Amino acid sequence: MTDTTNRSASVFVHPTADVESGARIGDGTKVWHLAHVRSSAQVGAGCVIGRNVYVDAGVTVGDRVKIQNNVSVYQGVTIEDEVFVGPCAVFTNDFRPRAQNPDWTITPTMVRRGASIGANATLVCGIEVGEYAMIAAGSVVTRDVKPYQLVAGNPARPKGWVDEKGEVVSRDVDNPPFQG
């Protein structure tokens, strides 16, 4: 991990991107056009941070993560290694948002290793997305998603199970196949 005040030559930050002082960016990571990475955010090695992505202060992004264009990752979100976040996905961090609320608290969200989040999906705070889970495009996720589970819809509901490559291996929503 490289502090942005002493950035490694292997980190690419587009001239229009804003990576604040104190943000940590891992080797081999690329931060593209108009992205904004706040101070105290941590982005791992080998990541791609797409155009117009916002990574808030205190956010942790693991290694080899791909965050597509126009994604907002707000404070309280943790994204583990090898996660794919599709374009225009949104993470929330407040159950009761108000413009003026001095008592609001951040509600954390966890996205586990290898999970995939489809384009335009919304993840309501306070959930955990399991390892290698897959969230279909346009889904609104209001509950935890089990490891290897495929969910879709508004609200997102179980539709089956996927393997580590993202292939659907079962449509039996009640009985996950063996995950080896």
Side-chain angles (χ1 to χ4, degrees):
M1 217 47 66
T2 302
D3 188 304
T4 57
T5 56
N6 187 19
R7 189 178 303 137
S8 165
S10 70
V11 173
F12 172 80
V13 177
H14 191 273
T16 63
D18 182 5
V19 177
E20 294 181 9
S21 179
R24 294 171 47 123
I25 307 292
D27 290 339
T29 289
K30 294 180 171 121
V31 181
W32 289 100
H33 306 76
L34 304 169
H36 186 176
V37 181
R38 298 282 314 277
S39 66
S40 76
Q42 295 183 39
V43 177
C47 295
V48 176
I49 306 299
R51 180 185 177 96
N52 197 40
V53 169
Y54 177 75
V55 180
D56 204 356
V59 165
T60 299
V61 175
D63 296 335
R64 298 171 305 284
V65 171
K66 187 170 189 176
I67 302 177
Q68 296 283 53
N69 298 351
N70 303 308
V71 172
S72 297
V73 185
Y74 293 112
Q75 195 171 14
V77 175
T78 301
I79 298 174
E80 291 187 344
D81 297 344
E82 299 173 350
V83 168
F84 174 86
V85 183
C88 302
V90 174
F91 295 87
T92 68
N93 67 357
D94 187 352
F95 272 128
R96 294 167 203 86
R98 295 285 188 218
Q100 296 297 315
N101 182 358
D103 299 325
W104 82 280
T105 58
I106 292 170
T107 303
T109 296
M110 173 65 73
V111 181
R112 297 288 182 192
R113 177 188 184 102
S116 292
I117 300 167
N120 292 303
T122 299
L123 282 75
V124 176
C125 58
I127 64 168
E128 180 172 322
V129 177
E131 287 188 334
Y132 298 99
M134 184 167 290
I135 297 169
S139 296
V140 178
V141 183
T142 60
R143 295 188 174 120
D144 289 351
V145 179
K146 295 177 183 174
Y148 298 91
Q149 190 171 45
L150 169 64
V151 299
N154 181 3
R157 298 192 191 286
K159 299 295 182 184
W161 304 92
V162 296
D163 62 16
E164 289 183 12
K165 294 179 182 177
E167 298 290 332
V168 176
V169 294
S170 173
R171 293 287 183 179
D172 182 347
V173 299
D174 296 320
N175 298 303
F178 172 74
Q179 300 296 332

